[in-house]
């Protein structure tokens, strides 16, 4: 490990409204870990929250590493033993479903597949409007899987969006550290 820092794969999926929350903690994450950015194909797209290229450039500049943006480029991460912990933050309901059912059709799910194959920790930072709805089954499946850990999460604006869940971005680093030791940061469900 370079500078004895944990090598963190930081994978983003298309929860565009959460990118700003991640940007707030990104400098601290890059200070604590050696960060390797990974973007799903959807996370690279422009949205009402900004051009996809701007978010990609932000992570590349903060981390000092080029982003992995394709399945082809993500495939060698596992066999090459490039990262110690992979964190998917934000992780959409779509990606939760793919992880729960072994679907590998994005750069992020390919990185996760190779990483888990090596028996290494995968951290999931939930960000989905249907976490207590259609995605609840996927969350339950993943909570029960070996080597998968969750950033503590809570309902996101329950009066307006009663099924929405969002992780606590301030706890990403602590969750990564705990996962590297094979432990789930507690409590998982926040008030």
């Amino acid at each position: 490990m370079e500078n004895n820092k944990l090598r963190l794969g930081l994978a983003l999926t298309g929860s565009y409204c959460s990118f700003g929350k991640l940007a707030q903690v990104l400098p601290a994450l890059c200070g604590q870990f050696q960060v390797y950015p990974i973007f799903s194909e959807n996370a690279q797209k422009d949205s009402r929250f900004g051009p996809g290229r701007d978010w990609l450039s932000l992570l590349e500049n903060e981390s000092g590493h080029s982003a992995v943006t394709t399945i082809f480029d993500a495939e060698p991460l596992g066999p090459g033993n490039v990262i110690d912990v992979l964190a998917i933050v934000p992780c959409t309901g779509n990606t939760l479903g793919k992880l729960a059912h072994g679907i590998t059709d994005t750069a992020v799910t390919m990185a996760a597949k190779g990483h888990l194959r090596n028996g290494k920790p995968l951290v999931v930072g939930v960000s989905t409007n249907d976490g207590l709805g259609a995605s609840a089954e996927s969350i339950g499946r993943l909570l029960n899987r070996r080597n998968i850990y969750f950033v503590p999460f809570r309902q996101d604006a329950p009066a307006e969006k009663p099924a929405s869940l969002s992780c606590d971005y301030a706890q990403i680093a602590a969750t990564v550290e705990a996962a590297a030791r094979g432990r789930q940061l507690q409590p998982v469900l926040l008030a």
Side-chain angles (χ1 to χ4, degrees), residues 2-191:
E2 182 181 306
N3 301 325
N4 293 324
K5 286 184 177 181
L6 195 69
R7 298 170 301 171
L8 174 65
L10 184 58
L12 285 75
T13 64
S15 180
Y16 308 106
C17 63
S18 301
F19 289 4
K21 295 176 190 175
L22 182 61
Q24 291 176 354
V25 300
L26 187 60
L29 291 173
C30 290
Q32 186 172 350
F33 307 112
Q34 189 176 344
V35 174
Y36 294 86
I38 303 164
F39 278 72
S40 74
E41 288 71 2
N42 283 332
Q44 299 171 54
K45 294 180 179 176
D46 295 347
S47 74
R48 64 186 174 107
F49 297 97
R53 182 71 213 158
D54 288 356
W55 295 112
L56 196 127
S57 294
L58 173 68
L59 261 79
E60 288 181 331
N61 291 336
E62 284 284 337
S63 70
H65 292 102
S66 296
V68 171
T69 58
T70 66
I71 293 173
F72 181 81
D73 291 334
E75 190 279 329
L77 293 175
N81 200 26
V82 175
I83 54 182
D84 301 309
V85 177
L86 175 61
I88 303 174
V89 184
C91 186
T92 61
N94 186 45
T95 300
L96 287 167
K98 291 176 181 186
L99 292 170
H101 292 92
I103 298 169
T104 306
D105 65 351
T106 69
V108 170
T109 55
M110 176 58 81
K113 175 184 175 181
H115 192 70
L116 288 170
R117 181 190 74 185
N118 292 338
K120 291 186 169 186
L122 172 66
V123 170
V124 175
V126 173
S127 182
T128 177
N129 286 329
D130 67 352
L132 295 177
S135 290
E137 180 182 352
S138 296
I139 291 169
R141 284 176 182 252
L142 294 173
L143 282 167
N144 197 39
R145 293 245 177 99
R146 187 168 185 243
N147 295 324
I148 297 182
Y149 305 89
F150 278 76
V151 177
F153 58 89
R154 63 174 52 91
Q155 281 185 277
D156 175 36
E160 298 84 26
K161 304 183 292 183
S164 185
L165 295 175
S166 182
C167 71
D168 182 352
Y169 285 76
Q171 294 194 53
I172 294 170
T175 305
V176 168
E177 289 284 356
R181 295 187 311 273
R183 300 185 57 88
Q184 171 62 59
L185 188 66
Q186 296 291 341
V188 177
L189 297 175
L190 301 172

